PDB file of all heavy atoms in Angstrom:
ATOM      1  N   GLU I 278    -146.416  49.633 -39.455  1.00 36.00           N
ATOM      2  CA  GLU I 278    -146.271  48.269 -39.956  1.00 36.00           C
ATOM      3  C   GLU I 278    -144.842  47.769 -39.782  1.00 36.00           C
ATOM      4  O   GLU I 278    -144.609  46.609 -39.460  1.00 36.00           O
ATOM      5  CB  GLU I 278    -146.674  48.215 -41.424  1.00 36.00           C
ATOM      6  CG  GLU I 278    -148.163  48.406 -41.653  1.00 36.00           C
ATOM      7  CD  GLU I 278    -148.504  48.372 -43.117  1.00 36.00           C
ATOM      8  OE1 GLU I 278    -147.926  49.203 -43.854  1.00 36.00           O
ATOM      9  OE2 GLU I 278    -149.320  47.536 -43.514  1.00 36.00           O
ATOM     10  N   ARG I 386    -132.738  43.800 -53.629  1.00 50.00           N
ATOM     11  CA  ARG I 386    -131.620  42.936 -53.991  1.00 50.00           C
ATOM     12  C   ARG I 386    -130.495  42.998 -52.963  1.00 50.00           C
ATOM     13  O   ARG I 386    -129.433  42.449 -53.183  1.00 50.00           O
ATOM     14  CB  ARG I 386    -131.090  43.323 -55.373  1.00 50.00           C
ATOM     15  CG  ARG I 386    -132.075  43.029 -56.494  1.00 50.00           C
ATOM     16  CD  ARG I 386    -131.414  43.244 -57.858  1.00 50.00           C
ATOM     17  NE  ARG I 386    -131.014  44.634 -58.033  1.00 50.00           N
ATOM     18  CZ  ARG I 386    -131.814  45.567 -58.541  1.00 50.00           C
ATOM     19  NH1 ARG I 386    -133.049  45.240 -58.927  1.00 50.00           N
ATOM     20  NH2 ARG I 386    -131.401  46.800 -58.688  1.00 50.00           N
ATOM     21  N   PHE I 547    -129.525  30.068 -12.099  1.00 89.00           N
ATOM     22  CA  PHE I 547    -128.253  30.357 -11.439  1.00 89.00           C
ATOM     23  C   PHE I 547    -128.131  29.617 -10.115  1.00 89.00           C
ATOM     24  O   PHE I 547    -127.042  29.210  -9.712  1.00 89.00           O
ATOM     25  CB  PHE I 547    -128.122  31.866 -11.210  1.00 89.00           C
ATOM     26  CG  PHE I 547    -126.847  32.269 -10.519  1.00 89.00           C
ATOM     27  CD1 PHE I 547    -125.652  32.356 -11.212  1.00 89.00           C
ATOM     28  CD2 PHE I 547    -126.827  32.539  -9.156  1.00 89.00           C
ATOM     29  CE1 PHE I 547    -124.475  32.710 -10.575  1.00 89.00           C
ATOM     30  CE2 PHE I 547    -125.667  32.891  -8.514  1.00 89.00           C
ATOM     31  CZ  PHE I 547    -124.484  32.986  -9.225  1.00 89.00           C
ATOM     32  N   GLY I 646    -101.408   9.022  11.928  1.00 94.00           N
ATOM     33  CA  GLY I 646    -100.772   9.470  13.160  1.00 94.00           C
ATOM     34  C   GLY I 646    -101.701   9.647  14.339  1.00 94.00           C
ATOM     35  O   GLY I 646    -101.236   9.832  15.476  1.00 94.00           O
ATOM     36  N   THR I 739    -120.181 -18.822  13.623  1.00 96.00           N
ATOM     37  CA  THR I 739    -120.477 -19.867  12.645  1.00 96.00           C
ATOM     38  C   THR I 739    -119.264 -20.784  12.548  1.00 96.00           C
ATOM     39  O   THR I 739    -118.208 -20.357  12.058  1.00 96.00           O
ATOM     40  CB  THR I 739    -120.800 -19.254  11.263  1.00 96.00           C
ATOM     41  OG1 THR I 739    -121.875 -18.334  11.388  1.00 96.00           O
ATOM     42  CG2 THR I 739    -121.166 -20.363  10.276  1.00 96.00           C
TER      43      THR I 739
END
Side-chain angles (χ1 to χ4, degrees):
E278 290 179 303
R386 293 188 297 271
F547 179 79
T739 304

